[in-house]
Amino acid sequence: MSGRFSEAHPFGNGHINDTFRIRNEVPGSPDYVLQRINTHVFPEPEKLMENMSGVISHIKHQKRYAHLVPELIETESGAFFVKTESGFWRMYRFVEGAKSFDRAENEQQVWEGGFANGSFLKALESFPIEKLYTVIPDFHNMVTRIRQFEEALETTSKERKEWAFDEIISIQKKKATWIKMFQSAVTGNIPVRVTHNDTKFNNVLLSEHSKKSCVIDLDTVMPGYTFFDIGDGLRSAVISANENESDLSLVVVNEHFYQSYIDGFIDGSDGLLTSEEKQLIPKSGGYMAFIMAVRFLTDFLKGDIYYKTHYAEHNLGRAKNQLYVSALFEGIS
Ligand code: ADP
Ligand code: GN1
Ligand code: MG
């Protein structure tokens, strides 16, 4: 770290952690990003930081991929986090000349997003997967997510159940299809890889330079399947409005973006994907949008305890949006 603290202000649109940009008042010295880890979501932050620092170091040691992850700042005692009364904190160097977008603006951005996420998998091909902790078990397991949804249905208030009536029915109608897809995918011949697991479009800082974007939000890096990362990218990068949009007439799949994301991802992953993994791509966007709907609705039924929300029906609106997106993808797969 270098320079002198000037000011700190809340930054970005993440749903989980508290993020601040730290301005540096010394010209030529970098800004920093300070984050308080959400320990409700991540009850074992030390393990998460061990995963994250290992993954970042592995990628930074490969010249070709060094730009792909942010630099974590070490404390004076050599740790990558600080635990204080106010929480569990970590810091990165601010990535200059790059920006995160909640919604893609053009095909090139979408391709770069796919390329960055595909490159991330390739860069971690040689990472010793057995060293990773599973930070959130069954994170994208549909069976588990449906079970959590059904438990929430049992304990929620009558009022919330009535509010969410249509979305509850939609999930009940489609759950068997997506459980089946999950089970046949994971019992098929697909490799377990080191995956990112949170490849939402705004978790890529798009660079001014092609193929130099940076993947952030590495909290959930753990063993997973490629279709999680492709699907999460598709559901968030190729739709004309993001998951917060409540006017569904604005929610449309851009088919050019769709193909660009896949092309970018495949180019970035540089020969890594097997034909079985490629076969899952057409279902992956629908799968990930549906699992997001289940998770948003579960959180709504539980009283909005997981995701940051800005108004009372926010999670319900996100669930409605993602159910709609999932159905749109089914229409084109
Ligand atoms: P959350 O887990 O809450 O989503 P993120 O790690 O995604 O938190 O960070 C939130 C936002 O902060 C990002 O969308 C991005 O805009 C910004 N951000 C995070 N890390 C950096 C960084 N190293 N450089 C620049 N911006 C960053
Ligand atoms: C959360 O941290 P953020 O906002 O990038 C969530 C993801 C969801 C996403 C939906 C740890 O991601 O799984 O896809 O919200 N992260 C965690 O917007 O639950
Ligand atoms: Mg994020």
Side-chain angles (χ1 to χ4, degrees):
M1 263 190 85
S2 63
R4 220 173 16 250
F5 174 86
S6 152
E7 54 166 10
H9 61 85
F11 192 65
N13 291 331
H15 292 341
I16 304 292
N17 298 306
D18 295 326
T19 305
F20 304 87
R21 179 171 180 170
I22 308 291
R23 297 270 182 186
N24 202 327
E25 67 177 15
V26 175
S29 293
D31 284 359
Y32 295 93
V33 171
L34 179 66
Q35 273 187 330
R36 175 165 45 200
I37 300 179
N38 181 331
T39 48
H40 169 67
V41 170
F42 301 114
E44 296 187 295
E46 290 89 350
K47 289 185 177 168
L48 175 162
M49 289 310 295
E50 205 174 312
N51 280 0
M52 184 184 281
S53 53
V55 160
I56 289 182
S57 155
H58 188 85
I59 295 181
K60 289 267 179 224
H61 277 95
Q62 300 172 65
K63 200 162 168 254
R64 176 179 174 202
Y65 292 121
H67 63 275
L68 194 58
V69 282
E71 183 190 334
L72 259 182
I73 305 299
E74 217 172 331
T75 65
E76 282 173 358
S77 57
F80 287 109
F81 59 85
V82 176
K83 205 171 163 182
T84 70
E85 271 178 18
S86 62
F88 202 103
W89 299 84
R90 67 167 168 231
M91 194 149 85
Y92 308 100
R93 188 183 171 121
F94 186 86
V95 178
E96 295 287 348
K99 208 174 148 213
S100 106
F101 292 80
D102 291 331
R103 188 174 69 80
E105 291 170 350
N106 58 55
E107 224 174 308
Q108 181 64 20
Q109 286 184 341
V110 173
W111 189 92
E112 297 290 346
F115 186 84
N117 287 135
S119 305
F120 188 80
L121 295 197
K122 181 70 181 177
L124 290 171
E125 185 183 13
S126 52
F127 188 88
I129 195 166
E130 68 285 353
K131 289 203 171 152
L132 287 176
Y133 295 104
T134 292
V135 180
I136 302 180
D138 293 332
F139 193 47
H140 295 313
N141 180 330
M142 193 64 84
V143 180
T144 304
R145 292 302 186 182
I146 291 290
R147 198 190 61 238
Q148 291 167 345
F149 162 71
E150 284 170 349
E151 284 164 5
L153 267 183
E154 293 294 315
T155 51
T156 191
S157 68
K158 193 165 165 273
E159 191 190 24
R160 282 193 181 241
K161 219 172 179 169
E162 279 171 10
W163 242 355
F165 183 79
D166 291 345
E167 289 67 38
I168 293 170
I169 300 289
S170 301
I171 288 176
Q172 303 289 25
K173 273 193 192 148
K174 295 298 299 186
K175 66 182 182 189
T177 306
W178 290 116
I179 285 178
K180 199 167 151 211
M181 185 244 153
F182 175 76
Q183 287 175 327
S184 73
V186 305
T187 52
N189 184 26
I190 52 168
V192 176
R193 298 193 187 280
V194 180
T195 46
H196 182 288
N197 298 302
D198 192 358
T199 51
K200 185 163 68 170
F201 192 60
N202 71 7
N203 285 332
V204 177
L205 300 178
L206 293 175
S207 168
E208 295 156 356
H209 307 287
S210 181
K211 303 189 178 178
K212 291 286 175 206
S213 294
C214 177
V215 174
I216 55 165
D217 209 345
L218 308 178
D219 294 323
T220 52
V221 175
M222 56 187 159
Y225 297 103
T226 311
F227 76 93
F228 298 159
D229 282 4
I230 302 192
D232 201 10
L234 285 172
R235 69 142 197 116
S236 56
V238 313
I239 308 289
S240 52
N242 72 24
E243 66 198 12
N244 293 305
E245 181 57 65
S246 51
D247 179 352
L248 298 184
S249 71
L250 302 176
V251 176
V252 178
V253 181
N254 182 320
E255 297 204 12
H256 299 294
F257 284 16
Y258 188 85
Q259 199 49 51
S260 291
Y261 188 85
I262 295 170
D263 292 346
F265 197 101
I266 289 177
D267 281 3
S269 58
D270 197 12
L272 183 72
L273 303 195
T274 64
S275 58
E276 287 84 359
E277 284 175 300
K278 287 185 187 157
Q279 274 165 24
L280 287 171
I281 293 175
K283 295 268 179 246
S284 66
Y287 180 87
M288 291 305 290
F290 190 78
I291 209 164
M292 292 308 155
V294 173
R295 293 176 60 199
F296 285 136
L297 199 61
T298 302
D299 195 32
F300 175 77
L301 295 172
K302 289 173 89 169
D304 305 313
I305 56 172
Y306 187 93
Y307 295 107
K308 288 185 181 167
T309 51
H310 303 302
Y311 56 94
E313 292 175 56
H314 203 164
N315 273 322
L316 178 60
R318 289 168 174 158
K320 199 181 295 221
N321 173 304
Q322 290 297 290
L323 283 169
Y324 190 76
V325 169
S326 181
L328 289 179
F329 280 134
E330 275 197 279
I332 59 167
S333 68

